Amino acid sequence: MRVLVTGGAGFIGSHVADRLTADGHDVLLLDALLPQAHAGAPPAWVQGHELVHGDVRDAELLGRLLPGMDAVCHQAAMVGHGVDPGDAPDYVAHNDLGTAVLLTAMHNAGVHRLVLAGSMVVYGEGRYDCPEHGVVRPGPRAQEDLDAGRYEPTCPLCGRELVPGLVPEDAPLDPRSTYAATKVAQEHLAGAWARQTAGSVWSLRYHNVYGPRMPRDTPYAGVASLFRSALERGEAPRVLEDGRQRRDFVHVTDVAAMNVAALSTEPPGPGVNAVNVCSGEPHTVGELAAALAAAMDGPPPVIAGGARPGDVRHVVADPAKAAAVLGVRAATTFAEGVTRFARDPMRAPAGSSAGA
């Protein structure tokens, strides 16, 4: 199978490319090498792949690259929480316009198989149960509650504290950040394309991906990268809220394996077929900071309180659907992955001259 991997020089994209190549597939990487994540030159770990430096919004370029492709693995995106609402035009341009241009080019080239890098941020908060009212959807947390250290969502009907559970793939979508809104839009665009063209789409809703090649020293990086960057500076990781917010930290090699499985598996239905990509081993953000600090012999984390606008409290998921429809489960445990991550190579800071 010949596969175009957009964002192929990036954190997840490069691991997907490695796994595809190891499994005998032919890959072509396309990457804009955005300065938010890259130091300029392509990183050393993509030197063994064919790489085109270009923008996924360049329809003419895509028209040259897509003919002869069997599938597209669309990893290219502007990711992370960002800096402030001024980032919105860039998020929409890279994520939504870029996806629309790609889908049009795929249609023109007769390429009908897409695997999309989705995200758990499309859910907003995860699943919650009220002891009295059952499954409910909490609204955004009030600033006065966050300022007072009341972090747990409450029932919109009775005000009682809710019990977090596992969010299923059919949960309502409730994006609460600019990035999240663009990821929902990507799924809708891909779904419309699939219905119009009889194409197939998997949206792999990544939970908190970590591992080697993460970008460091950038506000667009994931929390694991931010903690490691602090520890490398000799600083204590700074944990927001009370550190008890729950996430599912999934290793990037497991994410790559699930991408390859999706590329080789016919979806069970039309439109977008969404799958949670998670480890099934949820941990708190505080646990991640403490484990990484211990692995790096650094200072213990500082619980800072507060919360960023749009932050959610708990998002964890069940890996059962991915195992059932893709035949893949995460193989890297939290303890093993964090220990390795403490020493893994990272992507050079944005703006530096290093190539890896």
Side-chain angles (χ1 to χ4, degrees), residues 333-352:
T333 67
F334 178 80
E336 175 192 359
V338 172
T339 299
R340 283 161 41 189
F341 181 60
R343 298 167 180 80
D344 280 332
M346 299 278 281
R347 188 174 302 276
S352 79

Side-chain angles (χ1 to χ4, degrees), residues 104 120 122 134-135 154 184 198 200 209 225 234 236-237 245 264 279 307 309 312-313 322 340-341 350 356:
T104 300
M120 57 87 172
V122 299
V135 177
T154 56
V184 171
S200 68
V209 186
S225 174
Q245 57 272 43
S264 306
S279 71
V312 298
R313 181 62 173 172
R340 283 161 41 189
F341 181 60

